[in-house]
Amino acid sequence: MSRYRVAQVTAPGGRFEPAEREVPRPGPGRVRIAVEACGICHSDALFVNGGLPGVSFPEVPGHEIAGHIEELGEGVQDRGWQVGDRVAVGWFGGSCGYCGPCREGDFVVCQNLKVPGWAYDGGFGEQVIAPADALARIPDGLSASDAGPMACAGVTTYNGLRRSSARPGDLVAVLGLGGLGHLGVRYAVAMGFETVGIARGAEKADFAKRLGAHHYIDSTSGTPVAEALQSLGGAKAVLATAGNSEAITATVDGLAHRGELVVIGADAEPMAITPAQLLMHARVVRGHPSGTSRDVEDTMAFSALHGIRPMTETVPLDQADEAYQKMLAGKARFRMVLTTG
């Protein structure tokens, strides 16, 4: 029986160590993917630290997977997939198909969502068994190391913007210019929004402009972020990619009438928003999850069309622990990606 390598943690909060597994056969409705690249997302810490119910150890995280199909389970060929197809799998790693949201067609909020690294071994390895409904076809011209981050960071920002109430020409702000935000700015510009980048420090202004932003707001300048946004006319939408509730809260009064705060950056601390801030101007605050496999395909197609790629640093699988620690320390610029080649 042939074997494959993984990077795993054996206890909550542990360090990554190499291990080998026997190559499995995919069951009905599943495929075996030869992983070529897998991005490291900050959400992986939820699994590594055992912070979600049902996480078991040894744990192999990774939900920004890109590779090609090596073996089909029963019934998968009938769905149009073939051995050799290039595919990506993201936070949406499959749905149950029978819960209330699934019966309404809202699969990304499935009550039994199959997130790689949680429901099954993720992409920090050379092989992954994934449900066929999790597969997103990678377009020609998009490398595996670019496609992997598109399956989570990319689709979350792209989908968050396209499903917002903003329309081309509207003022849209992106809070944070990191692993999510640097993509959010590029998508906002490509969608035709008058785009504002918001981050800490005057030195990031040039970077925001290189991404295409029309305006930059330094949240440490002394001028309140909301005031700076209102001086530009008020934002129709703010895409909050920074995982900082205080920073997210600071944008609310910068929204225009019926403006929308789209929260995708996670923080355990509550946001200090009063009903009056929302009521008087009919503002909306909503959380936005990632996206289905179809949304991932749309994201990759849009990215290929507009020449948008994530800024990545690729490292081999056997350096998974170093790469993960670099991500945790906030030193990644901007997406660490493990490769198996």
Side-chain angles (χ1 to χ4, degrees), residues 250-307:
T251 69
V252 174
D253 286 333
L255 291 170
H257 63 280
R258 299 194 182 278
E260 183 178 23
L261 173 61
V262 182
V263 180
I264 62 176
D267 188 359
E269 295 300 316
M271 294 186 294
I273 300 172
T274 68
Q277 288 176 283
L278 306 179
L279 290 171
M280 298 302 292
H281 301 282
R283 292 167 176 150
V284 174
V285 179
R286 68 178 177 87
H288 171 72
S290 180
T292 66
S293 53
R294 175 56 189 269
D295 293 325
V296 174
E297 287 190 355
D298 290 348
T299 301
M300 292 190 292
F302 186 89
S303 301
L305 180 65
H306 291 275

Side-chain angles (χ1 to χ4, degrees), residues 42-328:
H42 202 279
S43 298
D44 288 321
L46 293 172
F47 311 120
V48 173
N49 296 328
L52 292 171
V55 173
S56 60
F57 293 86
E59 160 68 22
V60 179
H63 56 269
E64 293 187 344
I65 304 163
H68 62 272
I69 297 175
E70 278 199 334
E71 187 176 2
L72 304 175
E74 181 183 348
V76 174
Q77 191 167 8
D78 297 339
R79 305 184 192 184
W81 296 106
Q82 298 180 357
V83 170
D85 285 347
R86 301 177 66 232
V87 294
V89 178
W91 179 266
F92 179 84
S95 56
C96 70
Y98 59 80
C99 69
C102 283
R103 293 180 66 188
E104 295 172 3
D106 201 356
F107 301 106
V108 75
V109 289
C110 170
Q111 295 173 356
N112 305 291
L113 190 66
K114 299 177 178 66
V115 181
W118 191 2
Y120 52 86
D121 280 354
F124 286 23
E126 295 175 320
Q127 304 279 333
V128 163
I129 300 290
D133 66 328
L135 304 179
R137 197 177 301 276
I138 300 174
D140 294 338
L142 201 64
S143 70
S145 59
D146 288 335
M150 295 291 181
C152 180
V155 70
T156 302
T157 51
Y158 173 77
N159 233 20
L161 288 167
R162 74 165 174 171
R163 297 187 185 281
S164 76
S165 57
R167 295 296 177 262
D170 286 341
L171 188 78
V172 169
V174 178
L175 174 65
L177 298 178
L180 292 169
H182 84 283
L183 286 168
V185 169
R186 297 207 62 192
Y187 287 137
V189 172
M191 290 177 184
F193 302 135
E194 183 181 352
T195 304
V196 185
I198 307 172
R200 295 175 58 84
E203 70 280 0
K204 294 180 182 176
D206 286 343
F207 177 59
K209 295 298 177 64
R210 290 200 304 272
L211 292 172
H214 304 97
H215 311 278
Y216 176 71
I217 295 174
D218 172 12
S219 62
T220 66
S221 68
T223 301
V225 169
E227 183 178 322
L229 285 173
Q230 288 297 343
S231 72
L232 296 171
K236 184 66 174 178
V238 171
L239 183 71
T241 74
N244 184 304
S245 292
E246 183 178 356
I248 295 171
T249 300
T251 69
V252 174
D253 286 333
L255 291 170
H257 63 280
R258 299 194 182 278
E260 183 178 23
L261 173 61
V262 182
V263 180
I264 62 176
D267 188 359
E269 295 300 316
M271 294 186 294
I273 300 172
T274 68
Q277 288 176 283
L278 306 179
L279 290 171
M280 298 302 292
H281 301 282
R283 292 167 176 150
V284 174
V285 179
R286 68 178 177 87
H288 171 72
S290 180
T292 66
S293 53
R294 175 56 189 269
D295 293 325
V296 174
E297 287 190 355
D298 290 348
T299 301
M300 292 190 292
F302 186 89
S303 301
L305 180 65
H306 291 275
I308 297 173
R309 302 291 187 274
M311 295 182 179
T312 62
E313 180 180 343
T314 58
V315 296
L317 178 64
D318 59 11
Q319 294 179 22
D321 192 70
E322 295 91 327
Y324 177 77
Q325 298 302 329
K326 187 172 183 177
M327 179 278 298
L328 278 186

